[in-house]
Amino acid sequence: MRATLALTLLLGCLSGILAQQANIDTSVSKDLVTGCLKENGVTPQDLADLQTGKVKAEDAKDNVKCSAQCILVKSGFMDSTGKLLTDKIKSHYANTSFKDLIERDLGRCSAIKGANACDTAFKILACFQQST
């Protein structure tokens, strides 16, 4: 799930920023990620600024944060209010090699709350990335 959330975290490209992992979960499709980026008006420059460190994760624009929420919601891992669906995540990864890692990271990150649902999603994904 860390791979999913981290990817989910932000998108195909953002996953490069907040989730530099090669083994990305296929449950988060490129189309879903691209759709959420487009839906929220995230530009290639927004992603490049995060990748290069020109913009720090804590200073990410709201549209970037809302892309993270969009991906988590459409993946079925978060509800629209920003509540992480931990049971669903655990179930999804129950029979994978990520199971222990996901449970550990859910314990560390699932209670994080942001200013709104978008901020919460972004902060949770950033938390998952910190454990890589």
Side-chain angles (χ1 to χ4, degrees), residues 12-25:
C13 296
L14 251 192
S15 63
I17 303 158
L18 299 173
Q20 302 168 1
Q21 302 180 61
N23 55 346
I24 293 171
D25 191 308

Side-chain angles (χ1 to χ4, degrees), residues 5-72:
L5 285 181
L7 159 77
T8 308
L9 169 128
L10 226 350
L11 355 191
C13 296
L14 251 192
S15 63
I17 303 158
L18 299 173
Q20 302 168 1
Q21 302 180 61
N23 55 346
I24 293 171
D25 191 308
T26 57
S27 69
V28 180
S29 75
K30 182 178 178 182
D31 290 341
L32 183 145
V33 169
T34 303
C36 285
L37 288 171
K38 186 175 181 178
E39 184 179 315
N40 287 283
V42 176
T43 66
Q45 187 62 52
D46 292 333
L47 298 177
D49 288 348
L50 282 167
Q51 282 181 316
T52 63
K54 182 176 179 182
V55 173
K56 296 191 183 317
E58 59 268 17
D59 297 325
K61 294 179 183 179
D62 287 342
N63 64 328
V64 173
K65 292 178 180 182
C66 287
S67 292
Q69 188 219 9
C70 174
I71 293 166
L72 286 172

Side-chain angles (χ1 to χ4, degrees), residues 49-113:
D49 288 348
L50 282 167
Q51 282 181 316
T52 63
K54 182 176 179 182
V55 173
K56 296 191 183 317
E58 59 268 17
D59 297 325
K61 294 179 183 179
D62 287 342
N63 64 328
V64 173
K65 292 178 180 182
C66 287
S67 292
Q69 188 219 9
C70 174
I71 293 166
L72 286 172
V73 169
K74 289 184 178 182
S75 297
F77 295 139
M78 178 176 273
D79 71 16
S80 62
T81 67
K83 181 179 183 245
L84 201 60
L85 303 175
T86 56
D87 288 341
K88 184 164 185 180
I89 294 166
K90 287 177 184 178
S91 173
H92 182 81
Y93 291 96
N95 298 314
T96 71
S97 61
F98 294 113
K99 180 182 182 278
D100 293 338
L101 186 62
I102 287 163
E103 289 186 11
R104 183 196 74 199
D105 287 351
L106 282 172
R108 285 185 327 101
C109 304
S110 64
I112 292 174
K113 300 290 182 221

